[in-house]
Structure formats: C-alpha cells, structure tokens
Amino acid sequence: MPNLFQIISGVFVVSLFGVLSVKKKAVDKTGLIAGFAVGLSVWILGGWQWFLIILVFHLIAAQFTKYKYELKRSRGAAEEKGGARAWYNVFANGGIAMLLAILEGYGKFGGDVFFAGFLGAISTATADTLATEIGLLNPGNPRLIVNLKKKVEPGTSGGITPLGEFATFTGALIIGLVAFLLQVAGFLDVNWGMKVLFISVVAGFLGCTFDSILGATVQAVYRCQVCGKITEKRIHCGQKTKHIRGYELIENNTVNFISTALGALIAMLLYLNI
Ligand SMILES: [Zn+2]
C-alpha cells in the first residue's frame, strides 16, 4: 500500500507538471484531469523512476507537436487546437501505462514484468508520436505500409516515410536509454540495463509498426468536402467529412490504445523469455 509521503509528494510533483502543461497548452482541461490520474497512479504505484519515464514521453510529445506546427497545419495534418491534448488522447497513450502501474502496485507477481510492459507501452507511444510529428516533415509523399508501391498524401493513416521510420526508432531508443540509465544507476546492474534497453527498442518499434498497419487497414479515413484533403477527423474545415475507408468506430485514439497494449504485451513476453 502507498504511504502518506508517496501520496503527498505525488500530488505535489504531478500538480506542478500539470500546471506547466496547461500553461504550455500541451493539454486542455479534460487532458489535465486525465493526465493527473495517469501521473499520480504511475508515481504512487510504480515509483518515481516510472514517473520520470512517462514524463520524458510527455515532454517529447508536447515539444514535437509544436515543432514546425504551421508547416504541418498547412499540410492539413497537424493536431487540432494547437496540439492541446484532451482526456481521450491522454488515455489512448497513457491508459495502458496507468493500468500496468496499478497492477504493479496491487498485483501479486514477482519480478519486473509489469515494469517491462510499462516500458513497452511508453516506448510505443513515444515512437508513434515522434513518427507522426517528424514523419510529416518528410519531403516526399509517404507510402502505405501494407502496400509500399502505393504513395499517399502526407498525414494519411498508415503512411510511412524514411524520416518517420527513423523517428520511430529514435523514439523507442530514447525511452530505452532513459530506462537503461535509471536502472543501471539504481541497481548498478549493466546486464539488466541492457535488457530494458533491448525490450524498449524492440517493443516500441513493433508496437508503432502495428499502429501503422491498423492505420492502413481498419482505421476510419475521411475526405474533407471543402479542401479535399485525406484526414482521420470527422470534421475538417468546419464541415463534416466523407467516410472513404476503414471502420467508423475505429479512430486514431482507438488505434493508439490497441498499439500501446500490444507494445506492452511484446515487452512482457520478451522479459519472460530472454
Ligand atoms: Zn478541409
């Protein structure tokens, strides 16, 4: 059970980053509440190392969403509202991580299997966010991951680019390196550090690749009736868009949630088998 110090320190630290995130317009009010729930669970039930890892994801997502925002918006592919994330965006990327922190806190399972799963989920979310935000800046058009001969417009779900793949790998590697440094510093165990690095990179890269495959196959894709651009949004240019492929029930947040769950699963299987 968490002690009083963990709760008080958690409320203090998570509130501090919450206020900063609202000031930086990284989250809206609903995103703030959801982020508070995720951050506090991770701090109290996982620990400060867990929190530091999810914080790195949050800072990267906030920073790279703003990076060349106007250029991305002109390509019709930027996040809405200046990139301020709402509650559903927060849970789509951090819900599985929160669940794993709860399992770590209350579950009865020895070892670090939930920590490995947590790393897989955060690594996938980071890789996917960087791939999207950096991949949009690729000079050439993306190709569809399930049919590489087919070129698609920038921002199309399931489209991949060389720059986006590089960003995917980099995102997974950053989370792996943070985990490596924390684990080696904490436990003075380089072998364990290498293991968490390997797990983060592999699970994050595969989870993110699965995200693109879902994006190319089952995710709902629409066309704007005003500007003609392909989008994953139901509303574009203030008008309702036209559904052209995928299942309408499966939108980007659903895909992110499923992919982080798969990233977590891959990481836990790797942890148990290597
Ligand atoms: Zn439009």
Side-chain angles (χ1 to χ4, degrees):
M1 284 297 287
N3 63 41
L4 193 61
F5 176 72
Q6 285 171 309
I7 295 170
I8 294 171
S9 59
V11 169
F12 179 76
V13 173
V14 179
S15 301
L16 183 73
F17 284 105
V19 170
L20 289 174
S21 302
V22 171
K23 273 200 164 171
K24 288 267 176 194
K25 296 190 169 64
V27 290
D28 69 10
K29 276 180 199 152
T30 69
L32 173 69
I33 295 166
F36 191 79
V38 173
L40 199 60
S41 312
V42 167
W43 176 281
I44 293 174
L45 300 169
W48 67 269
Q49 294 98 331
W50 290 49
F51 181 78
L52 208 64
I53 289 166
I54 205 168
L55 182 65
V56 168
F57 158 69
H58 174 64
L59 295 177
I60 288 176
Q63 205 54 43
F64 281 95
T65 303
K66 311 283 179 200
Y67 180 68
K68 301 201 173 168
Y69 185 80
E70 284 309 316
L71 175 64
K72 288 185 274 196
R73 204 172 63 132
S74 72
R75 291 184 180 176
E79 290 286 330
E80 299 153 285
K81 298 178 289 184
R85 304 297 211 262
W87 69 271
Y88 42 83
N89 303 124
V90 173
F91 284 132
N93 284 303
I96 294 290
M98 179 177 169
L99 178 71
L100 286 158
I102 293 169
L103 287 171
E104 172 78 11
Y106 296 104
K108 293 273 175 284
F109 196 95
D112 286 301
V113 68
F114 297 131
F115 178 64
F118 173 82
L119 280 180
I122 297 296
S123 187
T124 299
T126 309
D128 180 50
T129 304
L130 268 193
T132 307
E133 298 297 339
I134 302 276
L136 282 172
L137 304 171
N138 192 77
N141 272 14
R143 291 166 185 274
L144 210 57
I145 191 166
V146 292
N147 176 10
L148 293 174
K149 285 183 186 149
K150 192 174 175 192
K151 288 194 175 184
V152 291
E153 294 166 33
T156 305
S157 309
I160 58 169
T161 61
L163 190 61
E165 289 304 293
F166 173 73
T168 299
F169 181 75
T170 307
L173 184 65
I174 291 170
I175 294 302
L177 286 175
V178 173
F180 172 86
L181 290 174
L182 282 172
Q183 297 301 309
V184 172
F187 301 102
L188 302 173
D189 183 346
V190 177
N191 278 334
W192 170 233
M194 291 304 288
K195 198 167 158 177
V196 294
L197 175 62
F198 177 77
I199 288 172
S200 301
V201 171
V202 174
F205 193 85
L206 291 180
C208 184
T209 302
F210 183 66
D211 189 290
S212 298
I213 293 171
L214 291 180
T217 52
V218 294
Q219 186 179 335
V221 174
Y222 304 88
R223 185 182 288 283
C224 178
Q225 309 269 51
V226 181
C227 69
K229 281 187 175 127
I230 300 280
T231 173
E232 53 191 34
K233 313 286 182 215
R234 285 165 196 270
I235 307 283
H236 203 265
C237 298
Q239 295 282 320
K240 206 169 172 294
T241 52
K242 189 169 186 280
H243 176 238
I244 52 174
R245 68 170 162 88
Y247 297 96
E248 291 203 66
L249 275 176
I250 305 179
E251 41 95 49
N252 188 243
N253 290 304
T254 327
V255 167
N256 284 347
F257 187 78
I258 297 170
S259 306
T260 52
L262 189 84
L265 194 65
I266 292 170
M268 290 193 282
L269 288 173
L270 283 172
Y271 171 81
L272 294 171
N273 289 287
I274 58 170

